[in-house]
Every structure is written in C-alpha cells, then in structure tokens.
Amino acid sequence: MTPCISSLHIYPVKSLAGIDLRESLLTAEGLAHDRRWVITDENGDFMTQRSCTRMATLIPAIDQHHLILEAPDGRHLFISLAPPEVAPSRVRIFGTECQGLDEGDEAAQWLSDFFERPVRLKRVPRDNQRRVSPERLGEHVAHTGFADGYPLLVASMTSLAALNARLAARTLPTIPMSRFRPNIVINGAPAFAEHDSETLTGEYLSLWLCKPCERCRITTINQSSGEIAVPGEPLKTLMTMDHVPGAGAFFGENAVIMEGAGQYLHTGMPVSMR
C-alpha cells in the first residue's frame, strides 16, 4: 500500500476544537488558519486545555469572511478575518514571548463570559517573527503561529493502531486520533516509521520531520466532551513503548516546511517517508 494523506486538521484557536478538512493550503507557517488565534489572560499568558478542559467544547468554523466560534449552548461569536488595526501586544507561550493583535472588547467579553474569568483573544500579526527552535533547526529559519513550538504535527494511523492494540491488551479503552490533535495524518506506512524518517515528501511537498512530539495531559481529554475518561491514559501506555529512544510519552513528529508553501494538500495525496 502506497502511503498517503488520510486526513487534514486545523485548530484555528489554540486549544479549542479542530476542523477536519479534505484539502488545505500549506503556508510557510503551517496549514492555513491553523493556530492563528490564542486566548490569553489579562497578562498575555496563553490558556490551554491542560488547565481548562472546557476549551475543547468551543467549536470553530471559518467562512469566507469570519472565524466563527460556537459555544455548547448555541451562542456564536463572529471574528472578521481582516486583521484589526491595533498595535501588537504581549503573548507568552510556555515562557516564550511573542506578539499578538487583540481582537477587541466584544470578543473578550464573549469569551470571558464563557470561561467565567477575564480573557482576551489575539491573533498572529502579519509580520510574525516567532521562530521555531533555532537550537533544533540550526541555520534553517522557520516560523510558526501560536502552536506549541512547530508549525506542523504529522501522525500515522498505523502508529495509532499499534498504540490501541497495546491499550486493548491492558484492557483499556482505545482512543481516536483526535486526542493527538495532528495536522497531517498518514496511512499506509509501517507503525512509527515517522520517527525513523527525516523527511515526508510528495509531488511538490517536502517536510522535515525534525522532532518526536512528547505528549502531555491533553491526550487524556475527550476532544468532543472535554472530559477525562481514564486519568493518565494514553500517556502511561505510551511510556511503556519503545518507538522513540529515551524516557517519555511520544506520539507523532513535529515538522517544518522545506518545500510546498503556496500549494494545496489533499486527502489521498501519495507521500513517502525517508
């Protein structure tokens, strides 16, 4: 079986629900609209499902002119895709400072009412300068929006099947791919081949698979309900598997774009890993 892209996913607002796509524009900073917004506290520190699982229940959509957020009670927030004319302000993600454009008081009030605490909504500025890990990439310069650290996360269905087999052997519930919040999901490659490969290539695509993704508490959260079904899983099971050298719970590969920015990726697109 020739490996191919089986699904594509974006998460317009960091830590909120995702959108499943059949095709997506690849930009130099990842898939279009992926993690271009972030919710922060009043000091600019980002919010995450790690400490607020309810974030998973806010559903985003994107139309021709708006980012749209839907709350569980059916209320909607509409945000223009046109950037606001404001000066950039501070955003802090895992201790690293970058800049964001505040989307204004109406968005802030809508989200503050939902979270029952004062928050702001910010977006990536046009002249985004947030660099991807220079210590990992060396001379190669790449940028990302409000993702944890890298513009793309690549995962594999056969790797998920191997993990689910281990979970089932331990009489634990199996889990869907949504727990890992990937951007590009591959099918048809051997399990965990992504960790033994340096590149993912296609007809006009070249991604550098540059770092195994060490997983966190978000993988324990049901991405539909915001609830934790089995505390500590699948992290505990991942830590018993040896597909990445060293201690830790790893699943998926962080990636940066080497070639293909400006092109569309689509499901069914043949790819190879080397």
Side-chain angles (χ1 to χ4, degrees), residues 228-260:
I228 297 176
V230 182
E233 290 294 352
L235 296 175
K236 293 177 182 178
T237 297
L238 278 171
M239 292 183 72
T240 70
M241 304 177 76
D242 59 359
H243 51 279
V244 173
F250 295 93
F251 190 92
E253 277 281 325
N254 293 296
V256 296
I257 298 91
M258 306 300 287
E259 296 178 9

Side-chain angles (χ1 to χ4, degrees), residues 191-203:
F192 302 115
E194 60 273 24
H195 299 307
D196 298 321
S197 304
E198 292 187 358
T199 60
L200 174 71
T201 59
E203 181 180 0

Side-chain angles (χ1 to χ4, degrees), residues 23 74 103:
E23 70 171 15
E103 293 286 9

Side-chain angles (χ1 to χ4, degrees), residues 183-240:
N183 297 115
I184 301 173
V185 179
I186 306 301
N187 201 11
F192 302 115
E194 60 273 24
H195 299 307
D196 298 321
S197 304
E198 292 187 358
T199 60
L200 174 71
T201 59
E203 181 180 0
Y204 47 76
L205 173 70
S206 179
L207 306 180
W208 177 8
L209 304 176
C210 51
K211 186 176 185 290
C213 186
E214 188 166 9
R215 309 313 305 215
C216 69
R217 181 174 180 267
I218 290 179
T219 61
T220 70
I221 301 168
N222 182 313
Q223 292 297 298
S224 297
S225 67
E227 298 174 347
I228 297 176
V230 182
E233 290 294 352
L235 296 175
K236 293 177 182 178
T237 297
L238 278 171
M239 292 183 72
T240 70

